[in-house]
Every structure is written in structure tokens, then in C-alpha cells.
Amino acid sequence: MPVTSPSHSRSVLVAVAALVLVALVVAAVLSGSGGGKAEDPGSPEATVQAYFEALVDGRRSDARATFTDELAARCPEVTDIGFSRPSRVVITGSRLDGSDTVVDVRITMRGSDAVLVGSDDTFGEQVRLVETPQGWRISESPWPYVCAMKVI
């Protein structure tokens, strides 16, 4: 009958724990990257979805293409807007507000992107849109952009 040393048992335990950790990381990445339902094309929610997908993918000009012309003129074209990419963005609802539509989103920053390293930061944001001849467009500075104030 073979005898196993305590160090061999620990090595096996560490290897199993590492495999479990890798499986959990893969599951977290897969659950946090897209895979959500596609919004109805032409809807305010689809515009918000397109904005955040472009932002997460690092396509800044595509993200800005969802802005109204007036907002785009007030927002500087930048290559780095000084934030880490969100790991998950979920549309949680929408409502009419006069002639505008407001879409509510929940944004999660994970791990080293969170305020407390190793934790998740989740916060809510509202994205305001107006209907234009080109479709629904974002009309006020969406997270994380900070644009010049609108002159009234």
C-alpha cells in the first residue's frame, strides 16, 4: 500500500483549488461580458446598448456616434477618457420624460477597477435620449464623459 506524504497531499489540494479558481474566473468572465439580450433595433435602449458596447470595446468614436450633434460638439474627442472599462452594464428600465426617454443602467466595475481593489463596485446611471431624424440619440453627457454645459 503506497504511503502519501503530507507535502504530496498539499500539492494535490493546491492543484485542485487552482483548477476550481480558474473555472470560477472563466464563469465570471463569461457571465459579465455581453451575452445579454439584444434590444429592439431603433429603440432608445438599443442606442444605449450600442453606446456601452462601443465603450467597453474601446471604440470611442463609435460611442460618440450615439450622441446628438449638439452633444458631440460639446464633448471633446478624446482617446482616453480616464476610466477603466466597466465589466458589466445592464439596462434596468426606461421611461418617458416629456419628449425625452431616460434609460436606467447598472454598471459594475470589478477587481482592480473597483474603488476597493478586489471588490465589485456597482452603481446606477441614467442616460437621457431624444428622437432625431437619425434615430434615438444620447442628449446629455453619459457616464463617464464630462461635457461642457449646454448654453441656454
Side-chain angles (χ1 to χ4, degrees):
M1 177 177 231
V3 177
T4 336
S5 71
S7 64
H8 177 72
S9 297
R10 266 189 231 118
S11 297
V12 170
L13 184 60
V14 167
V16 169
L19 286 173
V20 169
L21 181 61
V22 168
L24 289 172
V25 168
V26 169
V29 167
L30 291 176
S31 72
S33 61
K37 75 173 187 118
E39 298 295 338
D40 292 331
S43 69
E45 295 85 356
T47 299
V48 171
Q49 184 174 23
Y51 168 74
F52 280 108
E53 284 176 355
L55 201 63
V56 167
D57 292 343
R59 296 178 286 114
R60 307 274 191 260
S61 60
D62 290 346
R64 288 182 80 246
T66 63
F67 295 0
T68 62
D69 292 340
E70 188 272 331
L71 179 62
R74 292 188 290 119
C75 287
E77 178 70 53
V78 291
T79 55
D80 181 16
I81 50 182
F83 79 98
S84 297
R85 294 180 185 157
S87 58
R88 185 167 176 83
V89 179
V90 177
I91 294 174
T92 58
S94 62
R95 65 189 173 290
L96 291 175
D97 184 13
S99 60
D100 297 353
T101 295
V102 176
V103 176
D104 299 311
V105 296
R106 189 176 65 243
I107 300 166
T108 301
M109 306 294 283
R110 287 204 178 128
S112 62
D113 298 332
V115 172
L116 295 173
V117 175
S119 66
D120 290 355
D121 279 347
T122 300
F123 55 95
E125 287 288 325
Q126 295 180 338
V127 181
R128 183 169 293 272
L129 301 97
V130 296
E131 194 166 19
T132 71
Q134 296 80 31
W136 287 96
R137 295 289 182 258
I138 298 172
S139 60
E140 291 183 8
S141 302
W143 180 88
Y145 277 90
V146 178
C147 303
M149 296 296 289
K150 186 176 189 176
V151 177
I152 300 176

